[in-house]
Amino acid sequence: MPRRVPRLTSQRVNQIASSGIRRFFDLVASMEGVISLGVGEPDFPTPWHIREAAIYSLEKGYTMYTSNLGIPELRRELSRYLKDSYNLDYDPDSELLITVGVSEGVDLATRAILDPGDEVIMADPCYVSYNSCVILAGGRPIMVPTNQKSNFELSAADIEARITDKTKAILIGYPANPTGAVMSRDKLAQIAEVARRHQLLVISDEIYARLVYGVEHTCFATLPRMKESTILLGGFSKAYAMTGWRIGYAAASKEVIAAMFKIHQYTIMCAPTMGQVAAIEALKSGDDSVAEMVEDYNRRRLVMVKGLNKIGLPCFEPKGAFYAFPSIKGTGMTSEEFAEKLLIEEKVAAVPGNAFGECGEGYVRCCYATSLADIEEALLRMGRFVKKYRK
Ligand SMILES: Cc1ncc(COP(=O)(O)O)c(C=O)c1O
């Protein structure tokens, strides 16, 4: 019998699609004169004092691997930061792990806790990596529809209605990408209560924790009796404008961190050394820079949201991150049609909402981490476009 030729790629990988965001931005990159409200990253370079600390470390020849867990000083600074910010105690040697961004954190968390068929409940729409990481870890994403009427918040009752014998965790991310939604402490406490009652873990992606406007961020691990069962993921990419440095962290119980660490040490070894040095400086003296950037984002947010509503793209007020998520339903187009036509006819790039899940259909994501002049010009072009196609 001839040997059966195996499939080139695994069934697990074949189940997931490439990120809709990247596909769209390959198209943007091939065009000139485009105003991009697309990729979700700060338009600021990393604050100079942070870059300088990293440059100095290179000058000193600090270019080797670090401890697999991350530089001890960084873990100590992080432990202090979490104590100062949230009054949470994490042991730097056993409850913190420095990761290659929150991206690695989501991957490690899902692989560390899931067995085949385990279910993870999350919001639809949500950040693009959540459901793919769950699938790659052998689990099943269970989506909870959210909508503009309820400000894209997850309801505890909707979560509870989807719990089965296979449910292992709830994966949340507030402030949210793509909607900019922030959930109040009270509503998060209701989710925590469901998690406790059903003994579920909660993976909480808090990468936008510091980017909130006029509201307070609630760290999920601070909710009553949630510290032990929360895998808190955070990072430096957004608040400190450090996307390219690739540094994030996980804070969780000893048992979970030990499991995540096993995967991390074999697949990653350690997060980039230079980035870790920069992160130490960010934690030690980056607060003023963060505050300045947040103030600037807030100005842009107000212009963007007011402008979108004015041109006929209804948009709820996002209280966090740096995204607006207007409805484009009034044009009768799908999200992809809208984004593609807008790009070709008016050279404005926004991400089709369906890249973030079925419930993102009928919306586009507009990132306002770009200059006010570009936001104003983009709104002008979008206004012209909407007028032409409004039904
Ligand atoms: C909600 C969310 N989580 C995680 C990430 C990935 O961040 P990092 O650069 O830390 O890997 C992003 C990036 O856009 C994000 O929006």
Side-chain angles (χ1 to χ4, degrees), residues 40 100-104 127 130 177 205 207-208 235 237-238 243 246-248 323:
V100 180
V102 172
S103 301
E104 193 209 351
Y127 179 54
Y130 297 165
N177 178 3
D205 172 356
I207 192 166
Y208 294 104
S237 289
K238 314 290 175 167
T243 46
R246 311 306 306 127
I247 304 295
Y323 309 106

